[in-house]
Amino acid sequence: MTSERATIRPITLGRLTELTHVCESTSKTTETIEETLNVSHRRARETVLEATRIGLLSERDTDDELEYQTTPVGERFLDAVKAEEWTQANEILAVRSPHYGTFLDVLDEFSPASQDEILDYLEKELEYSPHSFNQTGIEIVGDWGERLGGIQRNAFTGEYYVVDSGDVPANFQFVFLEEYDDLEETAGVDLRQRYLSIPRLRERICERLQCSRGSFDSALTTLCQENIGKLELSGAPLDTAAKESVLGIKEIALADGDSLVSTSQSTQQVMAGLEQFDKQYYYLAVYDRDLEFTPNSNQ
């Protein structure tokens, strides 16, 4: 049944969550699911088939028609979402979904990688596999990974990479200076003490260190606090280009105020600066390169 389709169906995390909740207490027909989720029959059917393929739902053939109910795996997934345990939800999908698991395995093997590089690699590796990928499939599993925090995507280059650690290395200040210099050269300005974009520095350093954006912000906050007079932060006008990115930063949270368990998913294309004392700073300049850094002091 569900194994007939080689590619992944375009199903969001929010829809998977709603479906497992709808079918949790009693089995439901596709028509009932369609009405409860307020979606078309085609969309309801696609969601049911993908959720069944990855083991979140089981299928039961009654006298009249097929019915679907949440499995123990689906219940664990739903519990993880309710508790906002995104790492656990990520692990469940990585094990159960052949497409998502393969995608993460590829990034574990070589990242950062562009969408085209991933597709080229998978085309060779999955030549004799019953599963296959296309551009939409990469976008779907990439969306899952970004929202669950297992991977990140550079908001300026579009390259995917695995988030390996919650901490930055002890030599963070040296990595910071190297990327600052590279970005300064890219900007085409030879003058030192130039104010450079914090969002661009964040994306470059997170990709290089494979760390989360939150870890970078904590480390940069520590660096600024320990090097007053050596580093200088600057705000920005409302329309500054420093806030704009090519791609959005994808996030997920448990939705409030609804009897149906669902998720609130945002794609934020306006980049955040570095928050200090309730103020957002978008630019940074280096005045003295003899920097100190205490790991984990602000993480």
Side-chain angles (χ1 to χ4, degrees), residues 8 11-14 16-17 20 50-51 54-56 73-74 77 81 86-102 104 140-141 143-145 148 252:
I8 190 172
I11 309 301
T12 66
L13 282 172
L16 282 177
T17 302
T20 53
E50 196 62 35
I54 65 178
L56 301 184
V73 172
F77 172 75
V81 171
W86 306 121
T87 299
Q88 184 179 352
N90 183 69
E91 291 172 352
I92 292 171
L93 291 182
V95 171
R96 303 301 305 187
S97 169
H99 294 92
Y100 187 51
T102 299
L104 294 181
I140 292 300
V141 292
D143 182 89
W144 290 8
L148 293 175
I252 190 170

Side-chain angles (χ1 to χ4, degrees), residues 11-13 100 103 138-148 151 160 250 265 267:
I11 309 301
T12 66
L13 282 172
Y100 187 51
F103 174 72
I138 295 295
E139 290 173 353
I140 292 300
V141 292
D143 182 89
W144 290 8
E146 284 187 82
R147 295 191 190 281
L148 293 175
I151 66 169
Y160 294 98
K250 297 181 178 180
Q265 302 182 89
T267 302

Side-chain angles (χ1 to χ4, degrees), residues 27-277:
S27 59
K28 301 289 193 303
T29 64
T30 302
E31 287 69 23
T32 302
I33 293 169
E34 174 186 339
E35 293 173 4
T36 305
L37 298 183
N38 192 26
V39 296
S40 67
H41 181 79
R42 179 174 176 272
R43 175 57 65 184
R45 190 66 184 152
E46 277 190 331
T47 308
V48 164
L49 289 175
E50 196 62 35
T52 303
R53 165 155 64 180
I54 65 178
L56 301 184
L57 297 184
S58 62
E59 181 183 82
R60 184 164 64 94
D61 193 353
T62 65
D63 294 336
D64 298 324
E65 54 190 325
L66 296 175
E67 293 185 353
Y68 300 89
Q69 186 158 11
T70 301
T71 64
V73 172
E75 290 175 357
R76 292 201 303 273
F77 172 75
L78 189 59
D79 288 343
V81 171
K82 289 178 180 178
E84 299 191 66
E85 294 287 348
W86 306 121
T87 299
Q88 184 179 352
N90 183 69
E91 291 172 352
I92 292 171
L93 291 182
V95 171
R96 303 301 305 187
S97 169
H99 294 92
Y100 187 51
T102 299
F103 174 72
L104 294 181
D105 288 343
V106 170
L107 288 183
D108 271 332
E109 189 164 331
F110 72 99
S111 68
S114 68
Q115 189 176 90
D116 287 342
E117 289 172 334
I118 295 171
L119 279 173
D120 288 344
Y121 180 86
L122 288 171
E123 185 177 345
K124 299 172 184 175
E125 290 296 309
L126 301 182
E127 183 177 0
Y128 303 107
S129 169
H131 306 112
S132 64
F133 283 84
N134 52 24
Q135 181 176 336
T136 299
I138 295 295
E139 290 173 353
I140 292 300
V141 292
D143 182 89
W144 290 8
E146 284 187 82
R147 295 191 190 281
L148 293 175
I151 66 169
Q152 288 179 167
R153 191 180 189 187
N154 189 307
F156 297 100
T157 67
E159 294 202 329
Y160 294 98
Y161 57 94
V162 174
V163 178
D164 280 339
S165 172
D167 297 330
V168 301
N171 67 339
F172 175 77
Q173 71 271 40
F174 302 114
V175 175
F176 165 80
L177 287 173
E178 287 178 8
E179 293 299 328
Y180 180 91
D181 290 343
D182 287 346
L183 186 57
E184 190 176 49
E185 289 179 9
T186 303
V189 176
D190 295 329
L191 295 176
R192 288 291 177 192
Q193 302 173 8
R194 170 181 169 81
Y195 285 92
L196 298 181
S197 162
I198 291 175
R200 286 189 177 274
L201 279 168
R202 179 191 292 118
E203 293 303 291
R204 291 170 68 104
I205 293 175
C206 284
E207 180 178 312
R208 174 172 170 176
L209 299 179
Q210 296 189 316
C211 68
S212 71
R213 295 181 177 95
S215 294
F216 168 85
D217 285 354
S218 295
L220 184 57
T221 296
T222 298
L223 197 65
C224 291
Q225 290 173 346
E226 294 183 348
N227 295 277
I228 296 174
K230 298 179 181 180
L231 302 178
E232 185 173 343
L233 297 170
S234 175
L238 292 176
D239 60 349
T240 179
K243 300 179 182 180
E244 299 173 358
S245 63
V246 177
L247 301 168
I249 305 300
K250 297 181 178 180
E251 300 172 339
I252 190 170
L254 194 63
D256 295 324
D258 197 336
S259 58
L260 181 67
V261 173
S262 185
T263 55
S264 172
Q265 302 182 89
S266 66
T267 302
Q268 183 179 349
Q269 202 154 341
V270 177
M271 302 289 286
L274 183 71
E275 185 171 339
Q276 294 275 282
F277 308 109

Side-chain angles (χ1 to χ4, degrees), residues 1-19:
M1 180 197 63
T2 55
S3 61
E4 294 176 359
R5 175 166 173 151
T7 57
I8 190 172
R9 296 173 179 85
I11 309 301
T12 66
L13 282 172
R15 191 62 75 198
L16 282 177
T17 302
E18 292 170 348
L19 180 60

